[in-house]
Amino acid sequence: MRDVSRGQARQYARALLVVAEEQGGDEALRIRDELREFAKLRGTQPSLRAALEARGVTLADRGRALAAIANAAGASPLVARLVEVMATRDDLEHLPALASVYGELVNVARCIVSVEATGAVKLSEEQEAALVAALKWTTGSEVELTKTVDPAVLGGLRVKMKGRTYDGTVRAQLGALRRRLASGN
């Protein structure tokens, strides 16, 4: 991600957080989730991107179209207006960075720890609930859990939070065993 993009995203994110916090309640969290979904939609729907970037589509038309899509999807008026403004300013390239930066700012403001858990298979609801409970107890904070599946880990779980990685995967354990055997210890 370019530094310019992240800097522009930070400006949008700070302003958006101020407005969202003024609205009170869980609006900041709702907006965080909506922005992530909108950024994901834009990245995973090539037909949408092509339609918005087609010749003859003005920035104003692009803004209105995205606002209509956001409204139809049930997004908050603030997110609908934001994507419209970003489109009319030709700043949509900053949307993924904005979603990321805004999410970070909201989590810091709400004392929420972002955690990424990677396992060989999808966690069951019971496993996920137990993991979240253990992470809440460990961190003393609310937890936002992002789950990924990577069959290459073979089993177990790798957890990343607060800049650290806790690797309890079978692959990591096999690697440690291999190193011990190679060193003769």
Side-chain angles (χ1 to χ4, degrees):
M1 181 177 328
R2 296 183 354 234
D3 288 335
V4 173
S5 176
R6 190 127 174 116
Q8 182 74 26
R10 188 167 299 283
Q11 290 176 348
Y12 276 118
R14 285 182 182 144
L16 183 60
L17 182 58
V18 168
V19 175
E21 292 290 5
E22 287 173 355
Q23 293 182 3
D26 287 335
E27 190 65 14
L29 296 172
R30 178 178 170 207
I31 290 170
R32 177 195 67 189
D33 297 341
E34 288 177 7
L35 279 176
R36 287 178 179 164
E37 286 302 312
F38 219 91
K40 190 186 317 177
L41 174 72
R42 186 174 179 272
T44 60
Q45 297 297 321
S47 57
L48 172 63
R49 186 178 202 147
L52 292 172
E53 295 174 1
R55 294 183 100 183
V57 177
T58 67
L59 293 177
D61 291 340
R62 188 182 303 175
R64 284 189 295 276
L66 284 173
I69 291 169
N71 286 325
S76 67
L78 193 52
V79 169
R81 180 70 181 130
L82 175 69
V83 294
E84 181 179 11
V85 168
M86 290 181 76
T88 58
R89 291 183 178 177
D90 202 20
D91 280 343
L92 283 175
E93 68 189 50
H94 303 301
L95 189 59
L98 169 60
S100 174
V101 171
Y102 182 79
E104 292 166 10
L105 291 176
V106 168
N107 286 353
V108 167
R110 298 289 178 105
C111 297
I112 298 172
V113 176
S114 294
V115 178
E116 181 183 325
T118 304
V121 295
K122 183 179 177 189
L123 294 174
S124 70
E125 288 182 21
E126 296 81 22
Q127 290 170 323
E128 183 179 337
L131 178 60
V132 168
L135 291 168
K136 281 182 179 181
W137 182 83
T138 301
T139 63
S141 298
E142 288 298 313
V143 172
E144 179 189 32
L145 182 63
T146 304
K147 306 165 298 248
T148 56
V149 174
D150 180 3
V153 301
L154 303 176
L157 206 58
R158 179 175 51 236
V159 175
K160 293 180 184 179
M161 68 178 181
K162 295 185 175 183
R164 299 192 72 169
T165 300
Y166 303 92
D167 199 338
T169 63
V170 172
R171 184 181 188 107
Q173 292 170 10
L174 288 173
L177 179 60
R178 187 179 311 118
R179 287 188 296 277
R180 278 194 304 241
L181 289 172
S183 69
N185 290 330

